[in-house]
């Protein structure tokens, strides 16, 4: 089965290309961005050696669905999705922070809490909480946006402003947008009998100076979901929550001795494991959107993308 690992397109009007951990972003005439969702799998800020079939399509289609569902609250960069793996939108200069918001004590926050820390990114977490307990109010715990090969780092609101990473005026807008998006995401998840546990948002500023939501939102790569049914019973019994997120990949890696730390070898993923992860991503898609997943034709996947994007851009010029 063909997957997308690396792309090397030369679209009309192309100025440059930025290759992130999962997405590849083409600058068109310093006006538009073509964002291609690859099938690469990243965990602990490390790109795994093998790709996951249909992962890029799944992330791109969930993100476009969620951007459409939140554009009445927060302006976003998206114009259209001319291909299952591609989103095209307005160019915006990204802020160098990721706005992480947490409704529950899970994942990284729990690992810090378990180790005795009660402050995360300058935010105090209450004593006496168990893993996966709900916070009294969602907390915003930003991280720096690391360059390739480096790890994102926790950072406080105060340090972001003091270091001039984001102005106080702009950061206030980012916080407001983050809370509004998380509330909408929580409501959308509840309709699917899911709990939006935590997520991250990225923002940029357009050439006109407007702050807009960019990149993906509410996907299993950027968000953690629990099944609402049985959540409280599992908490009361001290059992693990049933999750819809990439956390199952992280846990498999941890159980095989890998957390992205220096000197650790990435465990080998068998064909069976790759297909299992692909099936889990499809399950995520169908649970999050409520739609059946339709696999795109992957016989000539790169040629398909090039043709669809080139045709779409010709209508924008």
């Amino acid at each position: 089965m063909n997957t997308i690992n690396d792309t090397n397109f030369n679209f009309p009007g192309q100025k440059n290309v930025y290759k992130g951990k999962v997405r590849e972003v083409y600058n068109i005439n310093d006006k538009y961005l073509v964002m291609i969702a690859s099938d690469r799998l990243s965990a602990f800020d490390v790109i795994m050696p093998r790709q996951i079939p249909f992962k890029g399509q799944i992330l791109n289609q969930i993100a476009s669905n969620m951007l459409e569902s939140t554009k009445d609250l927060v302006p976003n960069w998206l114009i259209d999705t001319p291909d299952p793996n591609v989103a095209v939108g307005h160019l915006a200069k990204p802020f160098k922070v990721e706005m992480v918001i947490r409704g529950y004590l899970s994942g990284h926050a729990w690992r810090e809490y378990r180790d005795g820390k009660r402050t995360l990114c300058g935010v105090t977490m209450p004593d006496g909480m168990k893993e996966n307990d709900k916070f009294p109010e969602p907390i915003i715990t930003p991280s720096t946006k690391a360059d390739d090969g480096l790890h994102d780092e926790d950072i406080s609101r105060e340090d972001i402003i003091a270091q001039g990473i984001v102005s106080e005026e702009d950061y206030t807008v980012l916080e407001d947008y983050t809370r509004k998006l998380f509330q909408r995401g929580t409501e959308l998840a509840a309709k699917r009998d899911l709990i939006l546990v935590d997520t991250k948002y990225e923002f940029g500023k357009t050439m006109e100076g407007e702050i807009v939501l960019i990149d993906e939102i509410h996907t299993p790569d950027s968000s953690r979901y629990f099944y609402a049914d049985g959540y409280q019973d599992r908490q009361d019994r001290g059992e693990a929550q049933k999750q819809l997120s990439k956390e199952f990949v992280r846990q498999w890696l941890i159980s095989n001795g890998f957390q992205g730390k220096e000197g650790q070898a990435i465990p080998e993923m068998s064909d069976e494991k790759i297909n299992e992860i692909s099936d889990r991503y499809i399950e995520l898609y169908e649970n999050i959107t409520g739609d059946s997943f339709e696999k795109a034709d992957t016989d000539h996947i790169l040629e398909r993308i090039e043709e669809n994007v080139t045709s779409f851009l010709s209508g924008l010029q």
Side-chain angles (χ1 to χ4, degrees), residues 234-245:
R234 284 187 286 272
Q235 282 301 98
D236 293 344
R237 293 194 297 265
E239 296 176 359
Q241 288 297 329
K242 189 177 179 188
Q243 296 202 25
L244 272 178
S245 71

Side-chain angles (χ1 to χ4, degrees), residues 283-294:
E283 177 190 355
L284 292 168
Y285 174 92
E286 294 184 340
N287 277 276
I288 292 168
T289 66
D291 298 327
S292 295
F293 181 68
E294 296 183 11

Side-chain angles (χ1 to χ4, degrees), residues 12 103 129 139 193 214 234 259 297:
M129 295 184 70
I139 63 172
D193 199 27
I214 61 174
R234 284 187 286 272
Q259 294 187 62
D297 184 0

